[in-house]
Amino acid sequence: MHVVNVLSFLLITSCLCDGRRERGNRADNDLGLKMKTHYKSKSMFRMYTHGKDIEDACTVELFQAHTLQTCHFNSSHPLVIIIHGWSVDGMIESWVTRLADALKSTQKDINILVSDWLTLAQQHYPIAAQNTRVVGQEIAWLLMWLEDLTQCPVSKAHLIGYSLGAHIAGFAGTNLAASGRILGRITGLDPAGPLFEGMSSTDRLSPDDARFVDAIHTFTQQHLGLSVGIHQPVAHYDFYPNGGSFQPGCHLHVQNLYAHLSQYGLLGFQQTLKCAHERAVHLFIDSLLNRDKQITAYKCRDNTAFNKGVCLDCRKNRCNTLGYDIKKVRTSTSKRLYLKTRSLMPYKLYHFQIRIQLSTRFEKIDPSLTIKLTGTLEESESLPITLVKELSGNKTYIFLITLDTDIGDLRMMHVAWEADPLWTNMWSKVKTIIPWSRKEVVPQMTIGRIRVKAGETQQRTQFCARTEDGVYIQPSEEKLFVRCDERREKPEHMRSHG
């Protein structure tokens, strides 16, 4: 039954997409005409005040100047407009207040408006998606009106849109551009995928919609061609936390997707996908509340390459800060940036690229290696190393590891070969039965050059074995490596380890 629902939805999507292409650029930008007539706005703009519920906030009415004074709008302060997405229950979601409160508490002097388009959003998804153009047009009128009336510049306005709200922000920017004005910034928080994936730049959020556009993609996992969040790049900088397909701690929601689609139809989306889809919002809130833990993301070809640890380069704007404090560098093409996060706030993880040279005389072995890093601040836990394939010959392996704490500048590294107890017992019996020498029987690896690059600091560290026999490692052994430039001087605390 759920397959029928999904296929029906795709059929509706196809029909609506055709219609959207025909209506692509039909926008009424005659602001003067709208101001001369009494225009009844289809959406509302609520002025956020700290400590008040959004539903009780003062309403700024389009083209009604007296409401600006009533709501204490300050034209000398920056303007941020928060735009929610599709609604099932017709209620403002709690994250809206959390985001507004985070903005207000950290930015102080700021105007925060919430675009309340619930009456248009609480519809079947395809209809709500169509309504995004209407809301985008009204936001554009609001911004032009504010600029003409109060000299509040459109070029400094920041629109933050979630899901369908991200495309609303894009349509607002498109309409402003048609009137010769350029919007300052748009942040798309997991922009919606259905009805927008694969569409032309005029029919979705795109880098052309503002002076600077950034987007965070947190749920782009596809099933039967359906993706809740849009996968394609739609901004100058597109961030894909944890690859963008799913988020840590949200796996159960993903597993229930099709069961809920079958039971609830399209309304099942909100019940199952809120965790991963909404993670983009909370990552942005995190960037405001934890300013000392700003998250760095790195330009990479795709998530597979990123997981190999080959993309921790910050030269020529190849990395950027996720969230509010992003470096606003316009690019000619969209840049895809990848990163890892924790499952809870604060989400920041520290990224390290490890290059380790391993060699063995055995044909093929699959060692279970772990490493432990010691820095100037603290020591990490033991971290498993996942080799792409079985070890043979002499090769250099590159991989990515992450830490959830800042351990400071790197000083030492422990490398351990974790042998399976059953395997160790077997080799012990073999050595007892067969009179071979220890060197001939036990598998042995040679650890060559070890280089580590810290993504956040861009520091490179080369490690050398502390002792001459430290380059050889056997099952159940652990070897110590120190910074090569400190190898000659053995610290007192290392002598105590013997």
Side-chain angles (χ1 to χ4, degrees), residues 56-274:
D56 299 329
C58 183
T59 301
V60 172
E61 297 181 28
L62 190 57
F63 308 137
Q64 302 300 313
H66 69 278
T67 62
L68 294 175
Q69 185 175 0
T70 302
C71 295
H72 305 290
F73 183 89
N74 192 326
S75 60
S76 64
H77 293 168
L79 171 62
V80 174
I81 300 179
I82 300 172
I83 313 167
H84 65 79
W86 181 41
S87 176
V88 174
D89 56 14
M91 302 288 290
I92 294 287
E93 292 185 291
S94 60
W95 68 261
V96 175
T97 301
R98 288 194 62 194
L99 175 55
D101 186 57
L103 285 163
K104 197 71 172 179
S105 61
T106 57
Q107 306 307 308
K108 306 299 182 185
D109 298 327
I110 188 173
N111 296 303
I112 302 176
L113 290 176
V114 175
S115 172
D116 178 353
W117 62 289
L118 286 173
T119 56
L120 299 177
Q122 193 184 9
Q123 307 286 340
H124 291 301
Y125 180 85
I127 298 174
Q130 282 184 300
N131 290 336
T132 57
R133 288 184 176 274
V134 175
V135 183
Q137 176 70 87
E138 290 188 343
I139 292 176
W141 285 336
L142 173 76
L143 291 171
M144 288 188 283
W145 173 58
L146 290 174
E147 184 173 75
D148 293 342
L149 186 66
T150 71
Q151 286 73 57
C152 181
V154 167
S155 61
K156 293 186 178 180
H158 181 187
L159 305 188
I160 304 175
Y162 165 64
S163 194
L164 286 180
H167 298 296
I168 287 174
F171 293 139
T174 298
N175 282 287
L176 287 168
S179 69
R181 313 189 201 201
I182 304 298
L183 183 60
R185 178 182 174 186
I186 294 175
T187 297
L189 302 177
D190 209 26
L195 296 176
F196 297 96
E197 187 83 60
M199 300 297 285
S200 67
S201 60
T202 58
D203 292 326
R204 55 166 173 79
L205 175 63
S206 79
D208 301 326
D209 296 329
R211 194 177 305 278
F212 183 76
V213 182
D214 57 305
I216 304 174
H217 306 257
T218 52
F219 195 59
T220 62
Q221 186 167 334
Q222 294 189 1
H223 292 281
L224 299 177
L226 199 61
S227 172
V228 177
I230 199 167
H231 182 268
Q232 69 187 101
V234 293
H236 293 107
Y237 282 87
D238 290 85
F239 294 82
Y240 295 86
N242 307 294
S245 60
F246 67 92
Q247 300 304 311
C250 295
H251 302 78
L252 292 177
H253 296 259
V254 177
Q255 292 171 2
N256 291 333
L257 171 60
Y258 289 107
H260 279 184
L261 277 175
S262 176
Q263 184 175 356
Y264 302 106
L266 297 180
L267 300 187
F269 274 119
Q270 187 147 333
Q271 299 186 40
T272 56
L273 309 180
K274 187 175 182 180

Side-chain angles (χ1 to χ4, degrees), residues 185 267 334 364 367 463:
R185 178 182 174 186
L267 300 187
S334 297
K364 285 185 179 181
F463 288 96

